[in-house]
Amino acid sequence: MSVELHTVAPSAVGAWERGLDRWPVVFAVPKGLEGACAGIARREGQLRLKPLGPGFLQSDKTAAERLAAALRAAPLWSFGSFVLAGKLGEAGDAARAEQALNGAVEAFDLADQPYWLNCPKDESEAARRLGARLLASKTLRLRNVPSDYRLTLRLATVEGEVLLLLGPSISVKERFPYRRDDVGASINPVLAAAMVRLAPPAEGGLALDPTCGSGTLLAERLAFSGEAEALGIDISARAGQAFAANLQDRPGPFRFQLGNGADPELWAPCRTVLSNLPFGIRVRQPREELDALYTGVAKNAARFLVPGGRAIVTSSSKRLLDEAFARARDRLPVLARYRAEMGGLVYQIVVAARS
Ligand SMILES: C[S@@+](CC[C@H](N)C(=O)[O-])C[C@H]1O[C@@H](n2cnc3c(N)ncnc32)[C@H](O)[C@@H]1O
């Protein structure tokens, strides 16, 4: 099966073709999955990327036209793609930042475009100070319109340097049009998109999520891979509503089953298992119940996956995950482990293959 670069087209703005020999392209990806995303980029889009710092990849030897395409339409496994307009030291001054940004504005034909400055709270003091000065700038040739913007200026601090990243914005509606409903603990779709690519695409068969919530993992997997059907199980009827709303546009049949994901009666032979298991202070389930759920999911995956089928399972609890997969290791050995971070949460990820 051929794999393409699955992208989302932001509201098009700018002439991204020119100047990519001078300004590298940077992709913002889930922290901890830089290596995995570089592998996905190579396989899916023939993009050669190298790590730039936590949560960022930089273009290496990719042809300019492929980079321009990735700027106009960002890969689903990235939060966005940007040109690296400049790098400033900790003491970098606003005048140099404005000069670098105006150079990129001119080269990419972006003069007077509305932009939003994205400098998250956990960025360095230097980045935040610079952000405040840029917002007050009279010489930057962009308009600060946080309510209706076409460009994002992301300030990120990597190894003591502040990066000036400028790229087309992707609206929430553009990024996940399928997302009509939500449950409290829904996984971020970009993290889900990267996670579901940790196993090669399948042709046909069933994709099953025994703790499906609003169905993000299945929706993102089916956007990438060729499983013919989807089955979501969840103990909450509220999850069933969100699942039905979010999966309705997917090609092929999908089904929700209310009940315990550890119950083998609810499972069916499957090609791929995806799960974001409950854990953490918002989950009030006693430890023994969680233990039974984790063990049941790994055991059912070992039993119901077809030979060669893959399980991609995440939780914040490394201990519960490792113990459950250790019990299933004869039929379902672990191939790889990852540790991603997002929104202050840690996602331990296990990829296992049915032998
Ligand atoms: C972390 S959330 C999954 C969120 C989902 N990935 C999404 O994006 O919406 C965990 C889900 O597990 C469900 N859950 C908890 N215990 C369960 C059980 N024993 N069997 C099936 N589902 C369960 C919860 O209702 C919740 O929807």
Side-chain angles (χ1 to χ4, degrees), residues 172-183 186-187 189 213-216 219-220 238-251 254:
V172 169
K173 276 196 184 129
E174 287 164 331
R175 172 60 187 88
F176 30 96
Y178 64 86
R179 221 163 161 69
R180 297 179 179 85
D181 203 354
D182 204 349
V183 294
S186 290
I187 192 167
S214 62
T216 320
E220 294 292 339
R238 176 74 197 84
Q241 281 170 16
F243 176 89
N246 293 341
L247 271 277
Q248 65 183 273
D249 301 336
R250 301 287 125 181
F254 65 92

Side-chain angles (χ1 to χ4, degrees), residues 246-331:
N246 293 341
L247 271 277
Q248 65 183 273
D249 301 336
R250 301 287 125 181
F254 65 92
R255 186 159 71 80
F256 175 77
Q257 181 71 59
L258 184 64
N260 185 349
D263 179 357
E265 295 291 316
L266 306 182
W267 282 58
C270 48
R271 184 76 188 71
T272 310
V273 170
L274 305 156
S275 174
N276 170 201
L277 286 156
F279 188 77
I281 45 172
R282 278 192 296 175
V283 175
R284 296 203 194 89
Q285 281 155 289
R287 194 68 170 202
E288 313 78 67
E289 241 176 64
L290 284 180
D291 210 7
L293 175 62
Y294 282 56
T295 305
V297 165
K299 201 170 154 193
N300 289 342
R303 175 170 159 199
F304 286 96
L305 275 170
V306 297
R310 300 289 164 95
I312 308 171
V313 180
T314 185
S315 160
S316 308
S317 171
K318 183 163 167 38
R319 192 179 71 72
L320 282 173
L321 211 51
D322 283 351
E323 284 175 6
F325 277 85
R327 290 185 198 113
R329 69 173 164 249
D330 288 348
R331 277 164 73 103

Side-chain angles (χ1 to χ4, degrees), residues 158-199:
V158 169
E159 286 170 9
E161 289 187 304
V162 181
L163 311 184
L164 306 169
L165 301 167
L166 189 62
S169 299
I170 305 169
S171 76
V172 169
K173 276 196 184 129
E174 287 164 331
R175 172 60 187 88
F176 30 96
Y178 64 86
R179 221 163 161 69
R180 297 179 179 85
D181 203 354
D182 204 349
V183 294
S186 290
I187 192 167
N188 181 294
V190 174
L191 176 59
M195 252 182 74
V196 301
R197 286 164 170 75
L198 297 175

Side-chain angles (χ1 to χ4, degrees), residues 5-245:
L5 186 64
H6 302 269
T7 57
V8 55
S11 316
V13 59
W16 297 106
E17 291 80 7
R18 302 198 294 259
L20 292 181
D21 44 341
R22 280 178 60 200
W23 285 278
V25 173
V26 170
F27 297 82
V29 299
K31 265 188 203 160
L33 296 187
E34 298 83 6
C37 286
I40 297 165
R42 199 172 50 246
R43 288 192 297 278
E44 273 193 32
Q46 295 164 291
L47 301 172
R48 294 185 74 88
L49 308 178
K50 57 184 183 189
L52 174 62
F56 294 99
L57 296 171
Q58 175 179 338
S59 56
D60 187 4
K61 292 183 189 129
T62 300
E65 67 271 16
R66 282 205 294 275
L67 289 173
L71 271 163
R72 276 194 301 270
L76 292 186
W77 41 262
S78 83
F79 295 103
S81 29
F82 307 89
V83 289
L84 178 55
K87 273 189 198 181
L88 304 178
E90 282 287 355
D93 60 295
R96 273 187 52 217
E98 280 164 4
Q99 199 183 19
L101 284 165
N102 281 339
V105 163
E106 189 171 331
F108 297 105
D109 217 1
L110 303 170
D112 214 32
Q113 289 289 342
Y115 84 102
W116 171 60
L117 185 119
N118 178 6
C119 182
K121 288 200 181 70
D122 56 358
E123 285 300 342
S124 67
E125 194 46 45
R128 287 159 55 80
R129 226 179 308 120
L130 179 64
R133 307 251 328 251
L134 287 173
L135 285 176
S137 165
K138 298 264 186 294
T139 48
L140 183 60
R141 296 177 60 208
L142 294 170
R143 282 182 299 127
N144 167 31
V145 190
S147 56
D148 183 15
Y149 51 90
R150 310 294 290 280
L151 293 173
T152 297
L153 170 55
R154 171 80 162 90
L155 300 186
T157 316
V158 169
E159 286 170 9
E161 289 187 304
V162 181
L163 311 184
L164 306 169
L165 301 167
L166 189 62
S169 299
I170 305 169
S171 76
V172 169
K173 276 196 184 129
E174 287 164 331
R175 172 60 187 88
F176 30 96
Y178 64 86
R179 221 163 161 69
R180 297 179 179 85
D181 203 354
D182 204 349
V183 294
S186 290
I187 192 167
N188 181 294
V190 174
L191 176 59
M195 252 182 74
V196 301
R197 286 164 170 75
L198 297 175
E203 245 177 305
L206 175 73
L208 189 157
D209 183 342
T211 57
C212 67
S214 62
T216 320
L217 284 168
L218 285 173
E220 294 292 339
R221 175 72 185 177
L222 297 184
F224 156 68
S225 181
E227 286 90 349
E229 297 173 63
L231 169 61
I233 304 171
D234 202 289
I235 201 119
S236 137
R238 176 74 197 84
Q241 281 170 16
F243 176 89

Side-chain angles (χ1 to χ4, degrees), residues 324-341:
F325 277 85
R327 290 185 198 113
R329 69 173 164 249
D330 288 348
R331 277 164 73 103
L332 193 66
V334 171
L335 296 183
R337 288 187 166 80
Y338 302 85
R339 182 185 188 279
E341 280 174 48

